[in-house]
Amino acid sequence: MKFHYLSLFLFVFILELSTNIYGVSSPKKSVKPLLPAEALLSISHYHSTCPDAEGVISQKVAAWVNKDPTLAPAIIRLHFHDCAVRGCDASVLLNHKGSERTAFESRTLRGFGMIDEIKTELEKRCPRTVSCADILTAAARDATILAGGPFWEVPFGRKDGKISLTKEANLVPQGHENITGLLAFFQERGLDMLDLVTLSGSHTIGRSTCYSIMNRIYNFNGTGKPDPSLSVYYLKLLRKRCKKDLDLVHLDVITPRTFDTTYYKNLVRKVGLLSTDQLLFSDARTGPFVEAFATQPFLFDSQFSVSMVKLGNVQVLTRPNEGEIRVNCNYVNHV
Ligand code: HEM
Ligand SMILES: *[C@@H]1O[C@H](CO)[C@@H](O)[C@H](O)[C@H]1NC(C)=O
Ligand SMILES: *[C@@H]1O[C@H](CO)[C@@H](O)[C@H](O)[C@H]1NC(C)=O
C-alpha cells in the first residue's frame, strides 16, 4: 500500500517537473518556471534524515490521546488554526509576548504540551531536523485515526515561520460568519467549497465553549429570540447546558467522540451546534455536499483525506531561504 502511494506520488511529481521545466503545458512562457511551494513537500522527506520521525509522533500522540481523548479534536483544531494564519508554519505555537497564541481567539486552543514532548524526543534523535509545522500536521492525522477517522499520507518538508502576531488570530473563522465569508476565507488559502464542507466535518468530534453559541440560543443577531434554524428539542438542551460562557457543549450532539458522518446527519435535522455548521446545510451552494456526506460515509472519508492534505499544504514555507527548523516549538531560534 505504501509503495503504491509513493509510486503514484513520484509519477505525478515527475510529470509536474517535466511539464514545468520543459514548459510542455505552456510553451509560450519564457520566464524561469517555478514549482509551487507545496510541490517541494514529499512523503519521503525524513526517510534518510530522521526515519523514525513519523513513528515517534504517532506513538506520542497515541499515549497522550489514550490518557485524554479530548486531545484528539484539540490537536486537529490546532493544526487548522496554524494553517489558517500565515500558512502551516507553526506560527500558532510561538509563545512570546504578542504572538497568535496569546490572543483572545486562541484561548481555548490546547495540545501544546503534546507537541513540545514530541519535539523534545525528536531533537534527541535527530537534532534540528524535524519542523514543528510538520509535527503538528502529522499529529493531526494521527489524532484523526485515533478518533476513528481515515488515514492519509502526510507530505513533509514544511519549515517553521518566524512571525506570529496577536492581531492575526482573528483571521480564523469564529462561527458567526456567513457562507460567502467562509468561502472567501478558504479561497484565499487555495481551498474550495468542497474543502469547506469536508473539513467542517472535523466538528464530528470535540467541543465548543458556550460563548460561541450564546447568541444563537438567547438573542440571535439582536432579535431577542433564538436562531430559528435550531430544532426546538436541541434549543432546550443547549439552554440547559449553557449557563456560562465557558461551559462546554459537544459539537456533534449524537456521537461526540466518534469520527463519523453523524455531524452531517445532524445538520439535516437542524441540530448543528455552530451557526456556521447549520448554514452549510441551509445554503444552496453547500447544502448538496452536506446531503451527500450524510448518506455516504465512504465518500466523506476519502474526501476528508484529500482535503486535509490540501489544508496541510496551505502557504507552506519550503524554499531554502524561507523559515527555519525551530529547536523549541515555543520560540524562534536565536541568531
Ligand atoms: C469552516 C469554518 C470553521 C469555523 C467557523 C469553526 C469554528 C469553531 C469553533 C467556534 C469551535 C469551538 C471553539 C470554542 O468555543 O472553544 C471549533 C472547534 C473545533 N474545530 Fe472548528 N471551525 C471551522 C473549521 C474547522 C476546520 C477546518 C477544522 C479542522 C480541519 C476544525 C476543527 C475543529 C475541532 C476539532 C474543534 C473541537 C476542538 C476541541 O474539542 O478542543 N474546524 N471550531
Ligand atoms: C457576509 O459576510 C461578509 C463579510 O465576511 C459581508 O461583507 C457580507 O455583507 C455578508 N453577507 C450577508 C448576506 O450578510
Ligand atoms: C437576522 O436573522 C434573521 C433570521 O431570523 C435573518 O433573516 C436576518 O438576515 C439576520 N440579520 C443579519 C444582519 O444577519
Side-chain angles (χ1 to χ4, degrees):
M1 213 49 193
K2 239 186 170 148
F3 175 75
H4 169 79
Y5 275 117
L6 187 63
S7 51
L8 182 70
F9 176 80
L10 282 174
F11 174 74
V12 173
F13 185 73
I14 290 162
L15 205 71
E16 275 278 311
L17 270 178
S18 56
T19 51
N20 276 300
I21 292 171
Y22 302 114
V24 176
S25 58
S26 51
K28 270 181 237 159
K29 258 191 195 161
S30 58
V31 287
K32 194 168 162 239
L34 203 60
L35 286 166
E38 67 272 17
L40 299 173
L41 298 172
S42 123
I43 289 163
S44 59
H45 187 81
Y46 295 122
H47 279 188
S48 59
T49 54
C50 196
D52 296 335
E54 261 191 290
V56 168
I57 296 169
S58 69
Q59 253 179 334
K60 292 275 184 200
V61 173
W64 281 72
V65 169
N66 285 337
K67 255 194 247 159
D68 178 2
T70 68
L71 282 173
I75 214 78
I76 296 168
R77 181 172 179 232
L78 196 55
H79 175 52
F80 170 55
H81 279 236
D82 179 29
C83 299
V85 182
R86 293 183 177 265
C88 312
D89 68 341
S91 58
V92 77
L93 301 180
L94 288 175
N95 200 16
H96 57 73
K97 196 161 169 267
S99 71
E100 261 168 79
R101 183 167 162 178
T102 65
F104 177 78
E105 291 83 359
S106 304
R107 74 201 178 288
T108 57
L109 292 177
R110 296 169 59 228
F112 299 102
M114 181 202 300
I115 301 298
D116 285 342
E117 190 183 290
I118 294 168
K119 181 61 175 173
T120 302
E121 178 63 28
L122 289 177
E123 281 303 299
K124 274 186 212 153
R125 293 187 187 226
C126 5
R128 294 174 177 259
T129 304
V130 184
S131 71
C132 299
D134 277 348
I135 293 173
L136 187 50
T137 308
R141 186 271 313 273
D142 295 331
T144 303
I145 298 169
L146 289 167
F151 168 86
W152 62 91
E153 291 282 6
V154 172
F156 293 104
R158 293 162 196 78
K159 285 199 282 174
D160 300 322
K162 299 177 187 175
I163 302 168
S164 178
L165 303 170
T166 305
K167 65 169 192 282
E168 291 182 344
N170 69 1
L171 291 172
V172 185
Q174 307 297 309
H176 307 295
E177 297 75 14
N178 59 43
I179 296 296
T180 304
L182 291 179
L183 284 171
F185 169 85
F186 271 60
Q187 229 153 51
E188 284 157 17
R189 287 152 184 83
L191 303 168
D192 58 26
M193 192 184 301
L194 181 54
D195 298 317
L196 168 63
V197 178
T198 306
L199 293 173
S200 296
S202 302
H203 294 168
T204 179
I205 54 170
R207 303 170 301 184
S208 172
T209 54
C210 289
Y211 173 86
S212 306
I213 56 150
M214 279 301 189
N215 63 335
R216 272 197 100 193
I217 61 180
Y218 292 115
N219 183 13
F220 189 56
N221 70 20
T223 56
K225 294 198 182 98
D227 184 341
S229 70
L230 271 170
S231 91
V232 177
Y233 136 80
Y234 193 43
L235 173 65
K236 234 176 109 178
L237 178 91
L238 290 177
R239 282 185 163 175
K240 207 164 82 190
R241 296 279 158 82
C242 285
K243 302 297 183 198
K244 298 189 302 274
D245 278 353
L246 291 180
D247 289 338
L248 294 168
V249 273
H250 295 304
L251 282 157
D252 172 351
V253 68
I254 307 292
T255 57
R257 288 167 202 91
T258 318
F259 199 98
D260 57 16
T261 50
T262 306
Y263 164 79
Y264 296 103
K265 291 184 186 155
N266 292 345
L267 303 185
V268 175
R269 293 175 194 144
K270 294 170 65 168
V271 289
L273 183 69
L274 305 175
S275 147
T276 42
D277 292 330
Q278 199 54 58
L279 283 172
L280 291 175
F281 174 64
S282 56
D283 192 285
R285 293 164 288 182
T286 48
F289 295 110
V290 171
E291 293 191 65
F293 288 151
T295 53
Q296 297 166 86
F298 173 78
L299 196 63
F300 170 62
D301 268 10
S302 58
Q303 184 58 45
F304 191 77
S305 300
V306 170
S307 293
M308 280 300 275
V309 171
K310 281 178 76 176
L311 176 63
N313 289 352
V314 169
Q315 297 160 1
V316 286
L317 309 173
T318 53
R319 298 186 198 286
N321 57 336
E322 291 177 330
E324 63 182 8
I325 308 290
R326 238 176 259 159
V327 174
N328 179 330
C329 294
N330 296 270
Y331 305 104
V332 171
N333 293 343
H334 300 296
V335 280

